[in-house]
Amino acid sequence: MARRTAARTDTGRIREGNEDRYLVRDDRDVTLMAVADGVGGGPGGEVAASAAVDELAARFFAAPRAQPLAERLGDAVRDANTAVLRAADTSGNASAASTLVAAAVAKGQAVIANLGDSRAYLVRDGASRQVTEDHSGIPAHGITRFVGDPRGVQADVYVEELRPGDRLVLCSDGLTRHVEPEEIALVVGTSGDDLDSAAQRLVELANSRGGEDNVTVIVHSALPFGRAASAPRRIVGLAMFIVIVLLVVSGAIAVLFAVAPGQPPSITASPSPSATASPSPSASASPSPSPSATPTETPSESPTPSASP
Ligand SMILES: [Mn+2]
């Protein structure tokens, strides 16, 4: 099965460490991906972001498969919040917290959950649309909603029906502070099926413009719903190829027989039309009395000077 998701994370050009974390995990027909951007002094940010993605994945995949995707993801985000609080406490940095944007993709549908200012974009037909809404504004964290919130969390949840060719992009604010949405669409669009290249190019673009923050990008490619479609298409292609080869070969054989020397023409040796090389009536190439172009004396319309008033 071809890989459908690529991810890159980079410290950037200014920060000393990388407090972004990401997750990509496939489990049969479900892909879970997430980006977490840790905030908090010292090792707090890393601890929070790691706890967020680890707990998200553990809870999401432990949930009953029959449970609706949105519910499963929402529950996992709530559990991630609890895990971040616990980790923050243990690490001695009670204010450590993290953004969390997560997408669960199954059967052509993407369910996206968000807390904070990491983002999800949907790139379709060369244009990108921001799916998530940023939760930002308070100077303390820079974000108003996050995992690691003692008051509890309720993530925003979005549902998108994916179409063949769509790309889902998750990223931290280290990308979006330097790279415009149209540029994300352009890079992803011009990378085709090379998702690794798309993720890499986006990170490089952010770094080329200063790389002021840690940069994380996940690019996921939507496939036609039901992968079985690809196998019959391949068989049809093969059948077409065989038919073309047969046509070419039989054509070549026919030509060989036609020009083969010493081959008796055919049993029905009827006088071929070419044998009756009688002068055809068309040969009477008599000069036809065509009406020659005699110089006519028809006076052309004389340019009468228009009577000026
Ligand atoms: Mn950041």
Side-chain angles (χ1 to χ4, degrees):
M1 177 170 160
R3 223 161 48 81
R4 293 166 54 186
T5 315
R8 285 286 187 285
T9 189
D10 193 87
T11 306
R13 296 287 155 85
I14 305 294
R15 300 291 178 89
E16 300 238 316
N18 191 347
E19 303 194 336
D20 284 1
R21 291 291 182 273
Y22 71 87
L23 159 93
V24 176
R25 194 173 299 176
D26 293 302
D27 178 52
R28 280 173 282 186
D29 57 341
V30 184
T31 299
L32 178 68
M33 56 203 119
V35 169
D37 179 353
V39 288
E46 284 176 60
V47 166
S50 293
V53 296
D54 290 349
E55 188 74 1
L56 180 85
R59 294 297 181 157
F60 181 85
F61 287 112
R65 293 171 61 82
Q67 194 182 358
L69 223 49
E71 206 179 287
R72 225 169 127 182
L73 194 59
D75 286 354
V77 170
R78 268 190 295 278
D79 290 334
N81 183 61
T82 308
V84 170
L85 284 169
R86 207 183 317 129
D89 217 30
T90 309
S91 72
N93 192 329
S95 66
S98 178
T99 74
L100 183 61
V101 62
V105 179
K107 297 185 174 73
Q109 189 181 68
V111 177
I112 296 145
N114 183 55
L115 287 168
D117 62 356
S118 296
R119 291 180 182 172
Y121 286 92
L122 183 65
V123 180
R124 173 178 293 164
D125 300 331
S128 67
R129 172 163 58 82
Q130 186 178 335
V131 175
T132 53
E133 189 186 317
D134 293 348
H135 305 137
S136 56
I138 288 183
H141 272 307
I143 47 176
T144 53
R145 291 167 65 185
F146 43 87
V147 282
D149 191 336
R151 300 165 298 180
V153 292
Q154 182 76 47
D156 290 340
V157 175
Y158 309 85
V159 177
E160 295 285 343
E161 300 299 328
L162 299 181
R163 299 180 195 164
D166 282 358
R167 300 285 185 271
L168 190 61
V169 177
L170 304 188
C171 60
S172 61
D173 66 335
L175 179 75
T176 50
R177 76 164 58 204
H178 294 300
V179 180
E180 296 300 315
E182 306 82 56
E183 295 175 310
I184 294 176
L186 186 69
V187 169
V188 168
T190 54
S191 297
D193 289 332
D194 192 349
L195 306 178
D196 281 305
S197 163
Q200 183 64 30
R201 285 168 68 195
L202 287 171
V203 167
E204 282 167 5
L205 195 53
N207 281 338
S208 74
R209 292 173 181 173
E212 292 169 12
D213 194 3
N214 307 146
V215 192
T216 303
V217 181
I218 298 177
V219 183
H220 175 82
S221 166
L223 275 189
F225 177 42
R227 280 182 49 82
S230 66
R233 204 177 303 142
R234 204 169 300 153
I235 290 167
V236 167
L238 184 64
M240 289 275 284
F241 177 73
I242 289 170
V243 164
I244 288 166
V245 166
L246 284 177
L247 281 173
V248 168
V249 167
S250 60
I253 289 170
V255 167
L256 276 175
F257 268 100
V259 302
Q263 194 77 12
S266 59
I267 311 287
T268 59
S270 61
S272 62
S274 65
T276 61
S278 60
S280 60
S282 66
S284 62
S286 60
S288 60
S290 60
S292 60
T294 52
T296 52
E297 293 289 314
T298 51
S300 60
E301 280 185 59
S302 57
T304 51
S306 59
S308 55

